[in-house]
Amino acid sequence: MKISLATLLLSICLWMASSDAHAYTSDPLLPNADILIDVGHGGIDSGALYGNYQEKDMNLAISKKTYKLLKKKGYRVIINRNTDYALSEDNTWSSGSRHRKDLAQRSGIANLIKPKMMLSLHINWSGKPDRRGPLVIYQNQSDSILLANLLQQSLNRLYGTEELPVLGKKYYVLKHTRCPSVIVEMGFISNKADRKLLNDAHHQMHLAEAIAQAIEQYFAMIHPT
């Protein structure tokens, strides 16, 4: 079963609160976008945890900064949550667990809006506390691979790392979203140095800038004006 237009309207308040009027098509019910920012987790779903630190809060803070920066650069951007909110609450159209409903809602929104790309922003976790740095996960299609490599290179420069992007064979959002999409793991909540950076407003802005730089490169190559 596909996500319905009625279900989409349950989420429209998020876009109206964070999108300018020109982000909409002639059909006032369906927003249009160059970029959809998928803010990982939210509400009852905290994501990765370390003490009082919660992934969902870091994701939202960095996503908002990325959204504002990309809008300033002239892109049509939509963010799928701008508060501490679980997208699964809007999903009345699919079956399964709350977690599966959350993932299906994210892909369903992307497939209805049909942006030119989707960025799913997350924070990583590892049982090895020395593991640190960014990691970008891509779909098995050329545009996603290109986007992932540009993002990984830009984020590596910020962190001083040499990580390579990886194929996400089992990730629901990547498998079920039709537009070029990537998951951006922006650091490790389980690593002391990363955790400190990810909660710092200045570093969050640097992350937004590194992401925006890669997106500008991608659009120059794939969607030149």
Side-chain angles (χ1 to χ4, degrees), residues 2 9 43 58 61 81 98 101 103 109 119-120 125 129 144 155 161 175 181 189-190 197 206 209 225:
K2 294 182 179 180
L9 292 176
M58 299 178 190
R81 72 175 178 92
R98 183 210 57 77
K101 283 177 174 286
L103 296 175
I109 289 170
L119 299 172
S120 187
W125 186 91
S144 178
L155 291 167
T161 53
K175 287 174 62 178
S181 303
I189 197 171
S190 49
L197 288 172
H206 290 321
E209 290 167 348
T225 54

Side-chain angles (χ1 to χ4, degrees), residues 41 46-56 58-59 121-135 137 159 163 171 183-192 194-195 198:
H41 307 284
S46 64
L49 291 167
Y50 191 94
N52 293 326
Y53 296 103
Q54 299 186 75
E55 178 189 352
K56 65 176 183 176
M58 299 178 190
N59 292 341
L121 300 186
H122 289 264
I123 306 298
N124 221 333
W125 186 91
S126 173
K128 300 177 181 179
D130 59 338
R131 184 85 188 274
R132 65 176 295 268
L135 178 66
I137 306 166
Y159 277 83
E163 193 65 69
Y171 289 84
I183 294 171
V184 183
E185 299 281 3
M186 300 176 289
F188 283 80
I189 197 171
S190 49
N191 178 267
K192 183 177 180 180
D194 276 7
R195 191 165 59 248
L198 290 164

Side-chain angles (χ1 to χ4, degrees), residues 150-185:
L150 292 171
L151 283 161
Q152 189 72 66
Q153 291 165 16
S154 185
L155 291 167
N156 280 346
R157 288 193 293 271
L158 177 62
Y159 277 83
T161 53
E162 297 181 352
E163 193 65 69
L164 295 175
V166 299
L167 174 62
K169 293 182 180 180
K170 299 180 180 180
Y171 289 84
Y172 183 100
V173 169
L174 296 181
K175 287 174 62 178
H176 294 273
T177 302
R178 291 189 286 272
C179 70
S181 303
V182 293
I183 294 171
V184 183
E185 299 281 3

Side-chain angles (χ1 to χ4, degrees), residues 68-174:
K68 290 177 181 178
L69 182 57
L70 290 169
K71 289 286 287 183
K72 187 176 180 180
K73 291 179 178 293
Y75 294 103
R76 297 173 300 175
V77 192
I78 289 172
I79 187 168
N80 64 9
R81 72 175 178 92
N82 59 10
T83 60
D84 184 12
Y85 178 74
L87 270 69
S88 58
E89 294 179 20
D90 288 339
N91 188 332
T92 59
W93 57 275
S94 71
S95 59
S97 66
R98 183 210 57 77
H99 179 62
R100 179 56 63 92
K101 283 177 174 286
D102 178 87
L103 296 175
Q105 184 73 2
R106 295 170 190 274
S107 292
I109 289 170
N111 291 337
L112 259 184
I113 296 171
K114 300 177 182 177
K116 294 177 180 175
M117 70 160 69
M118 184 174 79
L119 299 172
S120 187
L121 300 186
H122 289 264
I123 306 298
N124 221 333
W125 186 91
S126 173
K128 300 177 181 179
D130 59 338
R131 184 85 188 274
R132 65 176 295 268
L135 178 66
V136 185
I137 306 166
Y138 57 84
Q139 300 161 310
N140 188 22
Q141 60 114 312
S142 59
D143 287 355
S144 178
I145 294 169
L146 173 61
L147 177 59
N149 275 279
L150 292 171
L151 283 161
Q152 189 72 66
Q153 291 165 16
S154 185
L155 291 167
N156 280 346
R157 288 193 293 271
L158 177 62
Y159 277 83
T161 53
E162 297 181 352
E163 193 65 69
L164 295 175
V166 299
L167 174 62
K169 293 182 180 180
K170 299 180 180 180
Y171 289 84
Y172 183 100
V173 169
L174 296 181

